[in-house]
Amino acid sequence: MPRTDRRARVDVEDLLVRVKNGAGPELGEVAREVAALAEQGRLGEDDDEDGLLVPALLARLAGTGDAEVRVLVMAALRRLAGCAGGNSKERMASIEALSSIVRSLTRDVDERREALALLLDLSDIPQVRQRIGRIKGSIVMLVTLRNSHESGTHDDAEKLLHILSANPQNVLLMAEAGCFRPLIHYLKEGSDMNKILMATAVSKMFLSEQMKSSLGEDGAIEPLVEMFKSGNLEAKHSALGALRNLSSSLQNAELLVNSGVTGSLLQLLCSVTSVLMTLREPASAILATMAQSDHILLQRDAAPQMLSLLNLSCPVIQLHLLRALNSICGHTNAKRARAKIRKNGGLQLLLPFLREKNVGIKVAALNLMFNLSKDASQELTEQIRETHLDILVKIIASPTPGNDEKAAAIAVLSNLPATDKNVTKFLTQANLLPLLISLLEANISTSLAPQKMWLLEGIAGVFTRFTFPWDKKLQSLAVGHGVVPCLIKLLSEGSVKAKSKSATSLSQLSQNSVASCKTKSPRWLCVPPSAESYCIVHNCQCTVRSTFCLVKAGAVYPLVQILEGEEREADGAVLEALATLVQDEIWENGSNVIEKASGVHALLRVAEAGELTSQDKALWILERIFRIDGHRERYGGIAQALLIDLAQKGDPVLKPMIGKILAHLELLQTQSSYF
């Protein structure tokens, strides 16, 4: 049959009336009919001479609440778009029409598929590619559909996004939605203007850690570094802004270090060219974040160069450089880097910063002094003078500085050699102890922020200076000021480092308890001794103030609890403290007190899983505990398997003490040659 005859049978007017007036099922039926006619080639633009059918379908698409009908209407529009001329497609490409289609992207799966297919069919029109991006939420929805890996929508969403990426503004919207590959493509292969546009957008964009990592993984770092190295001033500025935003991710910091940009950044900081001055601040900020990666340690000249720039820079750049140097010196494997900075006069260069009025710079300088002196406390003593000590004490005593400044000052003091009697004398005369005790009581709590934890660690470190066993007068002064209750609190509520230092102070005090009991005699012999003050370990009248007794201080149980924990860093100090309770003269009573505090299980735990020195000390204490019949009977069964396994698999240095314990348990002859 001729084509004109077939087309004569299509009544467009009838279709138009039914589209406009049809209720839900009827509208769906006429939409299905339109789609079928268009697919058969029996309905085209020539049939709809007034161009009213497409607008009518679009109006019903926007107004109907029936999901199934919307799918059928979009299918009809897609068939019409496939066989219609440019004018009909243009009618579907208006903002209003596209908005109705885009709304369907948020609905059920069938509707999403049909909407995507229709948008793809229309995307060959340039205006459509521009307008889709201007519809609120359209790019976000397309990125979401691409990321969902949903059958039937993922591939179409990917194709449509690729088509839309020809428009730079759409690419920026994609990046805001977390789709970065088009943006990275522009950074690598776009025009200079588009590269600057993309880099500027990255510099201003709020990026989560995951988004920063994704940009780095997808290759954004390399082209941005190249822009900085070889671009014009505007390109350098935008590239540095983008790199600054990305570099706070540790993963990206490593990529930056590996890119070789460190030297170029340092060279920029050394530049005196006026046109480049505005780039120095972002360059120093990037160096500060790059330094968080321990890969920076491979750039061996970086730290000395930063140090040399400190006094030549403005305050903002000084702060960035100090933070960079702090990060470098804070890495666990940075011993060589710290030594190199000290060799270049780092400690001496930092001392003038104690008088710095800018609090941020002063705190950063103090933190760097602390980090530099971690493994060179004697060198710190050689550099520091009483005037510097006086400044540090005044910082701690001042009611105005925040905890950051106080914590940094205390941390520096905690690194000074505790054996330096001149420093101790000065700090004692400056009434540092009561200041520290007040500060600790004001800040200790069950939930500690990192800065408070560092403050308390520093205080605990300084306390060890005032509790050395060779100076009983100083110990009495510390105890009189109330240091022991503070130490007990730190055992329960401090960080593991604070617990370790507190245990060290208690151990140092307890070393003199036996001697204090011997020299102490009751003032009135006719007065019977107080049962409350009588100590079952030292077998005398004990008080915290007079004999520094761990039992009377209530320290035994919290010490044992530390051994029960998962962290092992404090084991050595805790065991030294407990060992003072089982000295030769008091071992039996001390063993009973440790056992009563559930200490046997804790000691066995350390013997099994602790560091070698801690294992050795734990076994030494256990050997004394297992000399007592009752403890052998109660714990021998659980101890023997662990001890035999440790003897077979542990360090040979432990075998003699294990042999003694097994002999107590009657599992081995006392003189066994195996041990």
Side-chain angles (χ1 to χ4, degrees):
M1 185 180 290
R3 185 170 180 269
T4 53
D5 294 338
R6 291 199 313 269
R7 291 168 62 86
R9 288 184 292 173
V10 177
D11 188 344
V12 175
E13 290 294 330
D14 176 62
L15 291 173
L16 189 60
V17 170
R18 288 163 61 198
V19 166
K20 288 181 176 180
N21 300 325
E26 187 180 349
L27 176 59
E29 185 58 38
V30 70
R32 189 180 283 110
E33 189 176 334
V34 168
L37 290 168
E39 193 167 11
Q40 295 164 13
R42 297 173 60 195
L43 181 61
E45 190 171 312
D46 294 340
D47 301 290
D48 185 16
E49 293 178 356
D50 297 326
L52 299 177
L53 188 57
V54 168
L57 285 166
L58 288 168
R60 294 310 306 270
L61 174 65
T64 183
D66 189 319
E68 186 177 350
V69 170
R70 287 195 299 269
V71 172
L72 292 169
V73 169
M74 282 191 288
L77 287 168
R78 189 153 66 91
R79 300 299 183 276
L80 287 171
C83 65
N87 290 336
S88 293
K89 265 196 173 185
E90 277 295 330
R91 295 186 190 104
M92 298 184 207
S94 68
I95 282 286
E96 293 78 9
L98 291 171
S99 296
S100 296
I101 300 168
V102 165
R103 275 196 293 274
S104 290
L105 294 176
T106 65
R107 290 166 177 153
D108 67 37
V109 61
D110 291 333
E111 193 167 347
R112 287 198 295 270
R113 286 174 184 159
E114 201 60 55
L116 266 175
L118 179 54
L119 289 171
L120 264 176
D121 286 349
L122 298 175
S123 64
D124 60 348
I125 303 173
Q127 294 90 328
V128 168
R129 296 195 290 272
Q130 293 175 351
R131 290 167 185 166
I132 288 177
R134 296 208 301 266
I135 299 170
K136 187 176 181 181
S138 59
I139 298 294
V140 173
M141 272 310 304
L142 288 171
V143 171
T144 302
L145 292 173
R146 188 208 67 164
N147 293 341
S148 69
H149 299 287
E150 183 179 81
S151 176
T153 59
H154 167 80
D155 291 343
D156 282 354
E158 183 79 55
K159 289 175 188 175
L160 187 52
L161 285 169
H162 177 71
I163 292 167
L164 296 178
S165 68
N167 184 322
Q169 292 302 320
N170 287 342
V171 171
L172 296 179
L173 291 169
M174 291 175 200
E176 288 177 1
C179 177
F180 297 115
R181 287 185 180 175
L183 180 146
I184 293 169
H185 177 77
Y186 271 85
L187 285 174
K188 290 179 176 178
E189 301 182 22
S191 66
D192 289 347
M193 183 180 296
N194 279 333
K195 286 180 180 179
I196 291 170
L197 176 67
M198 298 301 153
T200 303
V202 173
S203 70
K204 295 178 179 178
M205 205 177 288
F206 172 79
L207 298 169
S208 66
E209 284 302 305
Q210 185 178 353
M211 293 166 82
K212 291 175 186 177
S213 297
S214 179
L215 274 160
E217 288 169 4
D218 290 344
I221 300 296
E222 186 179 341
L224 288 169
V225 168
E226 185 57 34
M227 279 180 69
F228 162 63
K229 286 182 175 179
S230 59
N232 60 24
L233 182 63
E234 187 180 8
K236 289 180 187 294
H237 196 278
S238 60
L240 283 176
L243 289 171
R244 183 176 188 173
N245 198 6
L246 295 176
S247 63
S248 59
S249 158
L250 182 59
Q251 180 178 310
N252 289 341
E254 291 178 359
L255 290 171
L256 272 167
V257 175
N258 296 337
S259 75
V261 76
T262 310
S264 300
L265 292 169
L266 287 167
Q267 187 177 356
L268 175 60
L269 290 178
C270 295
S271 172
V272 292
T273 308
S274 58
V275 73
L276 297 176
M277 295 300 280
T278 56
L279 303 179
R280 296 181 71 200
E281 192 275 329
S284 62
I286 292 167
L287 281 170
T289 50
M290 286 171 61
Q292 293 173 9
S293 165
D294 60 5
H295 288 208
I296 195 73
L297 296 174
L298 299 174
Q299 311 289 321
R300 294 185 178 177
D301 293 329
Q305 285 185 58
M306 292 181 203
L307 190 71
S308 67
L309 289 165
L310 267 181
N311 286 329
L312 304 175
S313 304
C314 67
V316 176
I317 294 175
Q318 277 183 335
L319 185 56
H320 289 314
L321 291 174
L322 285 166
R323 286 174 176 166
L325 288 165
N326 263 311
S327 293
I328 290 171
C329 293
H331 292 304
T332 53
N333 51 341
K335 190 172 182 178
R336 183 179 294 179
R338 290 194 293 268
K340 195 166 187 177
I341 294 172
R342 290 195 302 269
K343 187 178 179 181
N344 283 271
L347 285 170
Q348 190 174 0
L349 186 146
L350 290 170
L351 288 172
F353 284 98
L354 294 180
R355 295 182 173 85
E356 173 64 48
K357 292 183 179 178
N358 183 310
V359 174
I361 292 175
K362 187 195 291 187
V363 170
L366 285 167
N367 289 345
L368 185 53
M369 287 177 67
F370 167 75
N371 280 319
L372 284 175
S373 57
K374 279 178 180 176
D375 36 21
S377 57
Q378 188 58 46
E379 195 171 331
L380 178 63
T381 307
E382 292 168 3
Q383 296 289 341
I384 210 159
R385 300 289 180 266
E386 284 193 0
T387 53
H388 303 127
L389 292 174
D390 187 54
I391 293 170
L392 293 171
V393 172
K394 284 178 179 175
I395 291 171
I396 298 165
S398 173
T400 50
N403 277 349
D404 287 0
E405 193 173 346
K406 291 179 189 291
I410 293 167
V412 172
L413 290 178
S414 72
N415 269 5
L416 289 166
T419 53
D420 191 317
K421 294 182 179 180
N422 291 328
V423 172
T424 302
K425 182 179 178 182
F426 181 89
L427 297 178
T428 303
Q429 291 173 347
N431 287 318
L432 179 64
L433 258 177
L435 290 174
L436 295 179
I437 289 169
S438 297
L439 197 56
L440 182 144
E441 289 173 342
N443 285 279
I444 196 163
S445 60
T446 51
S447 57
L448 294 175
Q451 195 59 39
K452 279 191 176 183
M453 286 175 63
W454 192 46
L455 172 72
L456 298 178
E457 285 169 12
I459 292 173
V462 177
F463 280 164
T464 60
R465 171 181 296 280
F466 296 97
T467 57
F468 266 111
W470 63 66
D471 193 338
K472 289 182 67 176
K473 185 177 178 181
L474 188 60
Q475 285 186 325
S476 295
L477 177 71
V479 172
H481 278 301
V483 76
V484 172
C486 294
L487 296 171
I488 302 300
K489 284 182 183 178
L490 287 169
L491 291 180
S492 302
E493 300 173 19
S495 67
V496 67
K497 289 182 179 178
K499 290 174 181 178
S500 178
K501 292 171 182 177
S502 299
T504 296
S505 287
L506 289 167
S507 173
Q508 291 176 165
L509 289 168
S510 183
Q511 285 174 42
N512 280 328
S513 293
V514 172
S516 297
C517 283
K518 288 179 179 177
T519 57
K520 180 177 174 292
S521 58
R523 184 175 298 178
W524 305 106
L525 296 177
C526 59
V527 178
S530 165
E532 186 179 344
S533 64
Y534 181 76
C535 175
I536 58 171
V537 173
H538 299 110
N539 200 25
C540 73
Q541 301 300 115
C542 268
T543 66
V544 173
R545 186 181 289 269
S546 63
T547 60
F548 319 137
C549 176
L550 290 186
V551 179
K552 292 301 178 184
V556 179
Y557 181 75
L559 285 168
V560 168
Q561 288 303 298
I562 294 171
L563 300 182
E564 290 280 14
E566 296 299 323
E567 296 175 295
R568 307 264 61 95
E569 190 177 336
D571 286 355
V574 169
L575 291 166
E576 289 295 336
L578 292 175
T580 63
L581 298 177
V582 288
Q583 297 175 59
D584 290 342
E585 299 173 55
I586 57 172
W587 68 267
E588 187 169 0
N589 291 336
S591 296
N592 291 332
V593 166
I594 292 172
E595 185 276 334
K596 191 175 180 181
S598 304
V600 176
H601 287 291
L603 290 166
L604 288 170
R605 179 185 176 90
V606 177
E608 180 180 27
E611 297 288 332
L612 179 59
T613 53
S614 298
Q615 287 179 306
D616 194 32
K617 182 60 73 172
L619 290 168
W620 184 85
I621 298 171
L622 283 167
E623 187 274 329
R624 302 203 159 204
I625 292 173
F626 282 125
R627 291 176 188 177
I628 300 170
D629 289 342
H631 303 333
R632 289 200 297 270
E633 291 174 8
R634 184 171 181 183
Y635 301 103
I638 61 171
Q640 67 180 53
L642 184 152
L643 292 169
I644 292 170
D645 186 63
L646 190 59
Q648 294 171 344
K649 299 177 182 177
D651 194 289
V653 76
L654 303 175
K655 285 185 178 180
M657 193 56 66
I658 295 173
K660 286 185 179 182
I661 299 172
L662 292 175
H664 292 322
L665 298 176
E666 298 180 352
L667 295 170
L668 194 73
Q669 292 181 4
T670 308
Q671 302 301 323
S672 171
S673 60
Y674 180 78
F675 292 93

